[in-house]
């Protein structure tokens, strides 16, 4: 029987989770997203088509797989409908009967985006550099026990009053933030009531559905968004997202017991990127960073922002390996390193002259650490599209072996290009 598997980002997101979940989900009965929202951008390249998924699990292109948006996700219904329309067009068939939304998901409403923009503006230099999707304020409302959920969206009698109460509250917050105008709740009520009718056929008790599937012996792949270093509890706080991207989020985000998470795989680039603000010790702001950006096409899948680029950050990946206890890791974008004579690999952080034993909790410390690099010879040969380990140059094998030994985790797959078949399976 196939084990249930969690697929988790090792770094600051955009590791190539979408490509790997699409491949791995073949043979699973279900793929379930456990956190985040449409801040995510997961790219799946099939043939000459490139799909970017934000909310819908990356298993949707495997036609026998059920896809679940779990209760830990914050849902913008309008974004979801736009995305499902685009996917139905690409698939040439309906997602009904294959795509399910938890009735416990919290909703993103337009005022969440307005508040986020006002707060980021007020923060100025200290801003997080969010994706402006309203993610943080929606999770704030959830934890503050005033959020509106999908089950509320399903009740047209009570929904408008729930929205009006929240808008009155948000207008007080916006006034305090010197926001120039008040939000009118009525167009929001009208729009959400209208969209609720289209969402309704997809809404289920996903907690019951997933537990029933698992108890009847079906296999579930749990899809993470963002990455461990963006996790609200374990990431580089405050420069994080507002949910638990690490493997611990699976159980809370789906209502399945941790006992059912039988295996965890980490997805990591062969180097490192980050979008938005926050410390990034191995960042290269000059030539090599630009080469990585150009060769890796490192522009945000959701916002189009240029991603900050740098070398593989060993201490950060080792920390993520501890937090998630990966059974194996997948290394993506190894082909992007083809161009370099030497590939620096950060093995340690130095802080005030001494090597740090642990990944620091304090962001101001992380911002001051000096990476200690081991320079590994490059291979200067195109690895794009390589499908066999034995076809890799020995120096590339050495880079990957060094990485695997450093983390103490076997590598289960290596990605050598965006497409499904540009993959080495080990
Ligand atoms: P995700 O958020 O983790 O799903 O990753 P994104 O989709 O945001 O970003 C990964 C980008 O790298 C996408 O444009 C992918 O098509 C691309 N990609 C994935 N794997 C590879 C690879 O092995 N080589 C190259 N060159 N591109 C890849
Ligand atoms: P995927 O799933 C990379 C980053 C934002 C910002 C911080 C907080 O494609 O890997 P938010 O809008 O979540 O409140 O922004 O988190 N961020 C991501 N970075 N990949 C993502 O998703 C991200 N989702 C959020 O850039 O720094
Ligand atoms: Mg992405």
């Amino acid at each position: 029987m196939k084990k249930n598997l969690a697929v988790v980002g090792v770094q600051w997101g955009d590791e190539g989770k979408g490509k790997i979940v699409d491949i791995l989900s073949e043979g699973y009965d279900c793929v379930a997203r456990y956190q985040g929202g449409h801040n995510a951008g997961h790219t799946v390249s099939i043939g000459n088509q490139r799909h970017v998924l934000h909310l819908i699990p990356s298993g949707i292109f495997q036609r026998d797989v059920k896809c679940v948006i779990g209760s830990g996700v914050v849902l913008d219904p309008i974004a979801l409908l736009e995305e499902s329309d685009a996917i139905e067009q690409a698939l040439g068939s309906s997602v009904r009967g294959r795509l399910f939304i938890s009735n416990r998901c919290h909703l993103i409403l337009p005022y969440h985006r307005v508040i986020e923009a006002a707060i980021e503006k007020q923060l100025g230099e200290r801003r997080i550099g969010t994706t402006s999707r309203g993610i943080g304020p929606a999770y704030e409302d959830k934890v503050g026990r005033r959020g509106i959920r999908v089950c509320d969206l399903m009740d047209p009698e009570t929904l408008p009053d729930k929205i009006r109460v929240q808008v009155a509250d948000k207008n007080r917050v916006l006034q305090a933030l010197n926001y120039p105008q008040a939000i009118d709740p009525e167009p929001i009520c009208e729009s959400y009531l209208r969209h609720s009718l289209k969402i309704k056929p997809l809404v289920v008790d996903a907690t019951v559905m997933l537990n029933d599937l698992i108890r009847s012996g079906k296999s579930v792949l749990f899809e993470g968004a963002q990455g461990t270093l963006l996790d609200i509890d374990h990431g580089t706080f405050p420069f994080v997202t507002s949910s638990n991207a690490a493997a611990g989020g699976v159980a809370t985000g789906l209502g399945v017991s941790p006992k059912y998470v039988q295996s965890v795989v980490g997805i990591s680039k062969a180097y490192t990127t980050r979008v938005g603000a926050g410390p990034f010790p191995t960042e290269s702001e000059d030539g090599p960073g630009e080469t990585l950006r150009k060769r890796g096409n490192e522009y945000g899948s959701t916002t189009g922002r240029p991603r900050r680029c740098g070398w593989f950050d060993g201490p950060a990946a080792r920390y993520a390996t501890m937090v998630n206890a990966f059974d194996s890791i997948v290394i993506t974008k190894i082909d992007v390193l083809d161009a370099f004579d030497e590939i620096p690999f950060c093995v340690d952080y130095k802080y005030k002259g001494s090597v740090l034993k642990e990944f620091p909790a304090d962001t101001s410390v992380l911002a001051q650490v000096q990476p200690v690099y081991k320079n590994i010879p490059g291979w200067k040969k195109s690895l794009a599209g390589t499908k066999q380990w034995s076809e890799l140059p020995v120096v590339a094998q050495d880079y990957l072996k060094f990485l695997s030994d450093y983390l103490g985790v076997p590598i289960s797959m290596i990605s050598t290009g965006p497409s499904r078949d540009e993959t080495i399976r080990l």
Side-chain angles (χ1 to χ4, degrees), residues 130-339:
T130 67
T131 60
S132 316
R133 298 294 188 269
I135 305 291
Y139 277 116
E140 277 182 49
D141 277 357
K142 168 179 172 169
V143 178
R145 296 171 294 193
R146 44 178 186 264
I148 300 178
R149 298 191 296 166
V150 167
C151 53
D152 302 315
L153 186 68
M154 294 299 107
D155 184 352
E157 293 292 311
T158 56
L159 180 71
D161 270 346
K162 285 180 179 150
I163 293 177
R164 288 181 194 119
V165 168
Q166 284 311 307
V167 169
D169 196 30
K170 299 309 177 218
N171 277 333
R172 283 189 286 277
V173 173
L174 286 169
Q175 205 175 17
L177 289 166
N178 295 322
Y179 192 74
Q181 81 223 46
I183 295 173
D184 177 0
E186 298 316 316
I188 304 178
C189 295
E190 184 276 322
S191 154
Y192 273 57
L193 281 172
R194 193 158 34 87
H195 288 97
S196 72
L197 298 174
K198 295 191 194 153
I199 297 274
K200 197 171 181 178
L202 308 178
V203 176
V204 294
D205 187 323
T207 312
V208 170
M209 179 181 160
L210 288 167
N211 280 284
D212 280 352
L213 280 172
I214 293 170
R215 281 194 304 240
S216 67
K218 304 283 191 211
S219 55
V220 184
L221 188 155
F222 307 114
E223 180 180 11
Q226 290 83 50
T228 304
L229 302 176
L230 287 172
D231 182 287
I232 181 75
D233 287 295
H234 305 292
T236 50
F237 189 89
F239 300 100
V240 292
T241 192
S242 299
S243 63
N244 287 116
V250 172
T252 50
L254 293 173
V256 302
S257 165
K259 284 196 293 190
Y260 294 139
V261 185
Q262 291 150 329
S263 180
V264 186
V265 62
I267 315 295
S268 171
K269 277 178 189 163
Y271 50 98
T272 311
T273 63
R274 159 161 227 181
V275 205
F280 180 177
T282 63
E283 180 170 20
S284 162
E285 290 181 74
D286 51 8
E290 278 164 30
T291 305
L292 289 169
R293 184 174 311 114
K294 210 166 154 194
R295 289 187 54 82
N297 190 23
E298 296 295 358
Y299 295 89
S301 314
T302 295
T303 57
R305 290 179 289 177
R307 294 175 183 151
R308 299 159 65 194
C309 296
W311 303 113
F312 189 82
D313 185 333
R318 196 161 51 188
Y319 167 73
T321 301
M322 174 185 73
V323 168
N324 295 287
F326 296 126
D327 294 286
S328 74
I329 49 167
V330 173
I331 300 298
T332 62
K333 307 191 90 161
I334 188 80
D335 53 299
V336 174
L337 297 180
D338 291 348

Side-chain angles (χ1 to χ4, degrees), residues 337-402:
L337 297 180
D338 291 348
F340 297 99
D341 293 322
E342 271 197 330
I343 304 167
F345 182 114
C346 172
V347 287
D348 275 313
Y349 290 160
K350 267 194 171 172
Y351 178 65
K352 296 190 172 166
S354 309
V355 167
L356 277 186
K357 281 210 174 68
E358 310 298 349
F359 187 74
D362 184 339
T363 305
S364 69
V365 174
L366 189 65
Q368 291 173 62
V369 299
Q370 298 283 320
V372 179
Y373 288 109
K374 176 181 165 66
N375 285 325
I376 301 185
W379 41 89
K380 300 286 291 204
K381 181 176 180 287
S382 171
L383 302 190
T386 307
K387 296 179 182 62
Q388 298 291 335
W389 173 261
S390 58
E391 287 167 14
L392 290 175
V394 173
V395 267
Q397 292 181 350
D398 286 347
Y399 181 80
L400 291 160
K401 280 184 194 157
F402 181 81

